[in-house]
Amino acid sequence: MKFVTEVKTFAAICTGVIGSGWVARALAHGLDVVAWDPAPGAEAVLRQRVANAWPALEKQGLAPGAAQERLSFAESIEACVRDADFIQESAPEVLALKLDLHAKISAAARPDVLIGSSTSGLLPSEFYADSVSPQRCVVGHPFNPVYLLPLVEVVGGEKTAPEAVQAAMQVYTAIGMRALHVRKEVPGFIADRLLEALWREALHLINDGVATTGEIDDAIRFGAGLRWSFMGTFLTYTLAGGDAGMRHFMNQFGPALKLPWTYLEAPELTEGLIDSVVEGTAAQQGERSIAELERYRDDCLIAVQEAIRQTKVKHGFDFAE
Amino acid sequence: MKFVTEVKTFAAICTGVIGSGWVARALAHGLDVVAWDPAPGAEAVLRQRVANAWPALEKQGLAPGAAQERLSFAESIEACVRDADFIQESAPEVLALKLDLHAKISAAARPDVLIGSSTSGLLPSEFYADSVSPQRCVVGHPFNPVYLLPLVEVVGGEKTAPEAVQAAMQVYTAIGMRALHVRKEVPGFIADRLLEALWREALHLINDGVATTGEIDDAIRFGAGLRWSFMGTFLTYTLAGGDAGMRHFMNQFGPALKLPWTYLEAPELTEGLIDSVVEGTAAQQGERSIAELERYRDDCLIAVQEAIRQTKVKHGFDFAE
């Protein structure tokens, strides 16, 4: 099965904060963009949002020929998607609405044109149920601000062709994104499950009177948040485990999983789970030594903190702010 | 009550990864450091760890007179702490061990010298129970690598004087840290509760076969992790709420808290909880407009990503690595 991956015209269905972010990103990468949104005054709001994002995109570097003027606004779904080479839907998270929208979008689009949905809360097998040629329908879940954050989670539904997932990842990569294939169709996908766990624990901390919102934010951004900008928890812990290795680390810190440190109950630390973690982190480490990765981590931490310091100075923030 | 905050000599009790990190940080800030650790060969390992950290600390900028040679190794706890102006203990997380250590440390130290513990898992009211002058005893919980990450959580126990918490925060700030007062003595304090919630959810994702360790790390470091290096979840969501405000955002996203997106059950979203979030984020926002904060966020995201890109090039990593 072949899908269109040479994208000249990008269609954006619904242009709230997320949809506008897609429009700005696609324009900055030199595409023509056609947008549609049924809200009164949506076009003006969209153009304002793109204009607000543009200075940042200029700083990052525009593709040749990229211009805000290459955005046009369509009067109907059909007019929006008819000539598009890729379609991204960012409508409100209401199942009935998305079912209806995608029936219309897919009927009007060429059958080999990929359709992505920005949904974070709904499952593709459900909201693509009434779509024409559902094999080309995927989720492409981005993160705010879409025009600057690279991550996009790509998820197929029951009827999605594996080739469509690969083709969509190719298109997203071409507009500067880091596409992550979510291989199992689970609620929240991967990133939001992690974010939501932290968010819910944070709400408990507020609710229990332990900390304010500002203290919770500080506890992240002056500590683990600095690491997370370039290294995830598993590789970080692999470094912490040092030459003794990740299996030793897991066995050593396993007991902490039983402690009442969060409202979330950990899974049983079986040999199978430990094996998966050890194999996964070994693959992440690859041929690099722990010492090499430590030097990389340290250089990243210095560079990231210096980048933030300079930006704070520029915007009149103190170090501690 | 007055405590010593003019620190010339910093004592480090136990010099594993965390203790060594304290030593490196204190040396880089121009202090004399006296260390003690009962493990055979501990001094050589410590000096090697400090030497490994030194190039990074040089890049960040050393204080006048800072030198690795200003580290000396003591033969006993008493010799280590006797003349110290501040004492930091980073022993293994075993209650009986810490009780015994702190009885000895506090008996040998001058009574107005502050004692900090790097513990993440134990509570100060418990392990300082046998200490002399317990009013000067606090937790100062750092994050790895201690010589580069600024966050330190400062926690008092039942007998800790409020002035000691303030004095310890002053000392930590003087060695380049961002001290966060944890006002309630709860297991895991603030940061580790948040980190642990994410970590446990991540282990569930592995256990359920949803994702590999590498995919989970990617889901953070190419998305929310980039934001978290300079902005926590609450201020991020305040921006996402836009001009409609945080109360609107909370009411709108409240239902998602009931969704099975994580293994963690959220607290009931009462009016009181919403009020706390709205008041907290209003204080964080201060006089700045949402548009101003968005520009700050965007500039940080660009600068941080560019800093990471350059570091990847330097270390021979691809963008996607």
Side-chain angles (χ1 to χ4, degrees), chain B residues 15-78:
Chain B
T15 55
V17 170
I18 297 298
S20 303
W22 279 109
V23 169
R25 174 177 282 276
L27 288 170
H29 279 82
L31 303 185
D32 290 314
V33 177
V34 188
W36 173 84
D37 190 298
E43 179 175 359
V45 175
L46 167 60
R47 290 194 186 275
Q48 186 57 53
R49 286 207 180 106
V50 171
N52 290 348
W54 208 253
L57 291 163
E58 282 180 322
K59 269 177 227 165
Q60 257 206 341
L62 299 174
Q68 296 182 62
E69 292 68 38
R70 291 174 65 185
L71 165 63
S72 62
F73 203 84
E75 291 303 312
S76 68
I77 293 175
E78 291 70 20

Side-chain angles (χ1 to χ4, degrees), chain A residues 59 144 147 178 183-184 200 204 213 215 217 227 259 264-265 284 288 298-299 315 320-321, chain B residues 59 144 147 178 183 200 204 208 213 215 217 227 259 264-265 284 288 298-299 315 320-321:
Chain A
K59 268 178 226 164
N144 195 42
Y147 53 92
R178 181 59 161 70
R183 293 172 285 104
K184 244 187 172 174
R200 292 183 184 186
H204 277 295
T213 62
E215 289 165 350
D217 279 3
R227 289 191 308 229
L259 295 176
L264 199 156
E265 243 182 77
Q284 287 178 264
R288 289 194 169 85
D298 285 2
D299 278 356
H315 285 260
E321 257 189 290
Chain B
K59 269 177 227 165
N144 195 42
Y147 53 92
R178 181 59 160 70
R183 293 173 285 104
R200 291 183 184 186
H204 277 295
D208 296 347
T213 62
E215 289 164 350
D217 279 3
R227 289 191 309 228
L259 295 176
L264 199 156
E265 243 182 77
Q284 286 178 264
R288 290 195 168 84
D298 285 3
D299 279 355
H315 286 260
E321 257 188 291

Side-chain angles (χ1 to χ4, degrees), chain A residues 56 59-60 120-121 144-145 147-151 178 180-181 183-184 186-188 190-235 237 240 246 250 256-267 273 276-277 280-281 284 288 293 295-305 307-308 311-312 314-317 319-321, chain B residues 56 59-60 120-121 144-145 147-151 178 180-181 183-184 186-188 190-235 237 240 246 250 256-267 273 276-277 280-281 284 288 293 295-305 307-308 311-312 314-317 319-321:
Chain A
K59 268 178 226 164
Q60 257 207 340
S120 56
N144 195 42
Y147 53 92
L148 288 180
L149 280 187
L151 183 66
R178 181 59 161 70
L180 175 64
H181 182 198
R183 293 172 285 104
K184 244 187 172 174
V186 293
I190 299 172
D192 276 356
R193 294 192 73 97
L194 302 166
L195 271 59
E196 185 76 11
L198 189 145
W199 168 241
R200 292 183 184 186
E201 185 67 28
L203 291 175
H204 277 295
L205 286 171
I206 306 273
N207 207 37
D208 296 348
V210 172
T212 64
T213 62
E215 289 165 350
I216 289 169
D217 279 3
D218 288 350
I220 292 298
R221 68 200 178 102
F222 292 108
L226 289 164
R227 289 191 308 229
W228 275 331
S229 63
F230 59 89
M231 193 176 280
T233 300
F234 283 102
L235 194 58
Y237 285 179
M246 194 60 180
M250 291 294 289
L257 291 173
K258 300 285 177 209
L259 295 176
W261 278 9
T262 111
Y263 281 82
L264 199 156
E265 243 182 77
L273 176 51
S276 299
V277 170
T281 51
Q284 287 178 264
R288 289 194 169 85
L293 287 169
R295 283 194 293 273
Y296 170 68
R297 176 199 65 191
D298 285 2
D299 278 356
C300 278
L301 279 176
I302 292 169
V304 164
Q305 291 189 77
I308 294 168
T311 312
K312 282 186 172 170
K314 196 176 126 193
H315 285 260
F317 284 66
F319 161 71
E321 257 189 290
Chain B
K59 269 177 227 165
Q60 257 206 341
S120 56
N144 195 42
Y147 53 92
L148 289 180
L149 280 187
L151 183 67
R178 181 59 160 70
L180 175 64
H181 181 198
R183 293 173 285 104
K184 244 186 172 175
V186 293
I190 298 172
D192 276 355
R193 294 191 74 96
L194 302 166
L195 271 59
E196 185 76 10
L198 189 146
W199 169 241
R200 291 183 184 186
E201 185 66 29
L203 291 176
H204 277 295
L205 286 171
I206 307 272
N207 207 37
D208 296 347
V210 172
T212 65
T213 62
E215 289 164 350
I216 289 169
D217 279 3
D218 288 350
I220 292 298
R221 68 201 178 102
F222 292 108
L226 289 164
R227 289 191 309 228
W228 275 332
S229 64
F230 58 89
M231 192 176 280
T233 300
F234 283 103
L235 194 58
Y237 285 178
M246 195 60 180
M250 291 294 289
L257 290 174
K258 299 286 178 207
L259 295 176
W261 279 9
T262 112
Y263 280 82
L264 199 156
E265 243 182 77
L273 176 52
S276 300
V277 170
T281 51
Q284 286 178 264
R288 290 195 168 84
L293 286 170
R295 283 194 293 273
Y296 170 68
R297 176 199 64 189
D298 285 3
D299 279 355
C300 278
L301 279 177
I302 292 169
V304 164
Q305 291 189 76
I308 294 168
T311 312
K312 281 186 172 169
K314 196 175 126 194
H315 286 260
F317 285 65
F319 161 71
E321 257 188 291

Side-chain angles (χ1 to χ4, degrees), chain A residues 37 46 77 80 105 134 162 175 189 191 194 216 228 258 274 282 293 304:
Chain A
D37 190 298
L46 167 60
I77 293 175
C80 181
I105 293 168
I175 54 171
F189 313 135
L194 302 166
I216 289 169
W228 275 331
K258 300 285 177 209
I274 292 179
L293 287 169
V304 164

